[in-house]
Every structure is written in structure tokens, then in C-alpha cells.
Amino acid sequence: MVSLKLRGLGASYGRTTVLSKVAVELLAPGTTTAIIGPNAAGKSTLFKRIAGLISGPGTVVLSDATRGERSICYMPQDTGANAVLTVYESLLLSAKQGGGWRVKDEELFEIDSILKALRIENLAFRGLDALSGGQRQLVSLGQALVRRPEVLLMDEPTSALDLHRQIDVLEFVADLASRSGMIVLIALHDLNHALRYCANTIVIANGEMASSGPTTEVITPSMLRDIYHIDARIEACSRGRPMVIVDGAL
Ligand SMILES: Nc1ncnc2c1ncn2[C@@H]1O[C@H](COP(=O)(O)OP(=O)(O)OP(=O)(O)O)[C@@H](O)[C@H]1O
């Protein structure tokens, strides 16, 4: 199964370096890892660098991926709407990306099952330009999943979703990862999602990796103070899961 190592990754826009020295020894198959950090820290840039959309120092070591770099799928934060396609057509187009044009039964079956899993089958023949922000985000996730990525980079995938849909989507993706061996990295601002769905967390601050490791060891009151400049506690919810309680800004 696929595994991923990041060695000294960096990136610049023009002459401005916005990311440097990001190193992770091993992202194991089936794991879901949170990428957290303040605005403009470099999270999206890290994803673009891993996906090969921008170049820079360091190496992305991808082992045992069946389709090489095409095994990596980046789901961006903002997804434009293509007015001429329906939801179904956009998923089909995404499934065929980089492959031949003959449509196989199993691909149609896969599209149906993803539309159902994301509870958007009622939108199948709706135009992309006639969707709400949350619906667009779900379609964008569907477009990523039909490509059967072995490494999925999700940039704030639940920012436009209601609370129930947030839980649905993150549970579905974490479960899919552990069943299929897919490696998932999710950029998140909601640290409670990181605590609940991501075994490991990487903190990016000022373009560098501030810390990484098991989520419950990384998300601590002292990290929240140092990186986010907030006064916060970690307490258990009624179901016993750790949660960040924010008392206020420092
Ligand atoms: N295309 C670009 N050209 C120049 N600078 C850019 C470009 N894209 C991003 N940047 C800059 O790079 C830095 C990192 O941006 P990035 O989008 O990676 O941050 P982020 O951690 O994903 O932020 P956010 O949480 O706000 O989405 C920021 O200072 C941003 O202004």
C-alpha cells in the first residue's frame, strides 16, 4: 500500500519564500492527518507543493503508489463552478481525467455510490452553477473521490457545511481511508475536528512546521497559546472525546 514521506519541503512565490523545511518521516496507509495553523501559515502551499502544482526545495517520496504522481489528488479550498456541466457530468469528467474516454460500468457504479454516500444523488442532474456553497463543496469532494486517489489532500473541506454534514463527511472520509489504505491530509481550522477524526496532526506556523505527532499530544493549551494566541483548555465532551474550549484571545 501507498506511503508518503516529506523531506525538507519548501516553496516560494516569486522571490518570497512562504514555506520551508517541512519534514515528515512517514504518513502510513489508511491514516488521516490534520494540517493546522493560523491564516496564511502555508497550509495550502504545502498541499500544492505535495501535489506537484508548485515546485521548490525538498522531496515528496511516494512509495508503492499504483499511478505514480497521479495517485495524489488535491481538493482545493475554493472550487469554481463550471456553468455548462451537471453534477453527474462533472464527476464523470473527473473520473476520466488522465485516462481513456471509454466509460466503464464500474465507473458509473462508483459515481452512483459516491453521490449516495455524500447524500447528493438528488443533485445529479443539476447544473454546477445552480448549487449552494455547501452543495458545491460536497460535489468537489465527490469529484476528488471518483478519481480513487491513494493520497487525498483536502483543503478545509467542511468550511461551507452545516454541523451534521461536517460530521458525515469527515467520518466518511476517515472510514474510507482506514478501509482502503488511502492517505488523507486535511487542512482544518476547526481543531475539534482534528481531535475527533485525525490520529496525527502537523502544525504549520509562519511557513515552518512548528510540531507534529499524535493529535492529542500536539493540540495542547500551550500550543494554542503559542501558535494561536488564545487561552484555551482541552476537556472531554459528554461522549468522552477531547474538545478545545476557548476562554478568549490573549
Ligand atoms: N499565488 C500566490 N502568490 C503570492 N503569494 C501567495 C500565493 N498564494 C499564497 N500566497 C501567500 O503565501 C502565504 C501562505 O499562503 P497559504 O494559502 O498557503 O496559507 P494557508 O495556511 O493555507 O492560509 P489560510 O488558512 O488563510 O487558508 C500567504 O502569505 C499568502 O499570502
Side-chain angles (χ1 to χ4, degrees):
M1 276 195 205
V2 67
S3 69
L4 186 67
K5 292 178 192 173
L6 310 179
R7 294 202 177 132
L9 289 194
S12 306
Y13 296 108
R15 289 190 185 166
T16 312
T17 297
V18 298
L19 190 71
S20 54
K21 295 184 267 182
V22 176
V24 178
E25 206 26 67
L26 179 70
L27 291 158
T31 53
T32 300
T33 301
I35 311 293
I36 66 170
N39 288 132
K43 302 178 295 297
S44 302
T45 302
L46 174 62
F47 279 174
K48 288 177 196 162
R49 177 68 187 83
I50 295 172
L53 300 175
I54 54 176
S55 56
T59 329
V60 177
V61 184
L62 187 64
S63 307
D64 299 322
T66 55
R67 285 166 290 148
E69 283 186 359
R70 279 186 36 228
S71 307
I72 303 179
C73 180
Y74 170 52
M75 180 187 158
Q77 205 172 335
D78 307 308
T79 48
N82 185 333
V84 289
L85 294 180
T86 64
V87 167
Y88 196 91
E89 287 164 346
S90 76
L91 263 62
L92 186 57
L93 197 62
S94 188
K96 300 308 300 176
Q97 213 169 61
W101 283 104
R102 182 171 297 180
V103 179
K104 300 182 194 129
D105 284 350
E106 68 203 51
E107 287 167 334
L108 299 179
F109 179 77
E110 178 79 357
I111 291 172
D112 284 350
S113 72
I114 284 169
L115 286 170
K116 278 198 192 93
L118 298 176
R119 293 195 288 123
I120 51 171
E121 64 268 47
N122 59 320
L123 301 178
F125 300 107
R126 180 91 65 88
L128 290 180
D129 60 340
L131 300 177
S132 74
Q135 288 172 332
R136 217 163 31 238
Q137 201 161 38
L138 291 165
V139 170
S140 166
L141 174 58
Q143 289 168 348
L145 292 176
V146 293
R147 291 168 62 185
R148 296 191 180 210
E150 290 166 81
V151 176
L152 177 59
L153 312 173
M154 308 171 82
D155 206 343
E156 297 178 41
T158 54
S159 58
L161 302 183
D162 67 54
L163 289 176
H164 197 286
R165 292 272 192 178
Q166 291 178 22
I167 293 172
D168 263 8
V169 159
L170 293 171
E171 257 171 25
F172 174 70
V173 170
D175 181 58
L176 181 64
S178 68
R179 282 187 285 114
S180 66
M182 174 171 72
I183 294 171
V184 179
L185 278 80
I186 315 182
L188 288 169
H189 282 302
D190 187 333
L191 304 187
N192 288 321
H193 286 333
L195 280 164
R196 189 173 285 201
Y197 301 105
C198 305
N200 295 302
T201 290
I202 296 169
V203 184
I204 304 289
N206 297 318
E208 296 200 3
M209 199 170 90
S211 63
S212 73
T215 299
T216 49
E217 291 173 22
V218 169
I219 299 181
T220 60
S222 69
M223 184 281 284
L224 294 164
R225 198 168 38 246
D226 296 345
I227 303 290
Y228 287 93
H229 310 296
I230 55 168
D231 183 17
R233 295 163 279 147
I234 311 292
E235 294 194 359
C237 73
S238 64
R239 297 188 183 182
R241 295 180 177 128
M243 287 196 65
V244 177
I245 312 282
V246 180
D247 291 306
L250 290 173

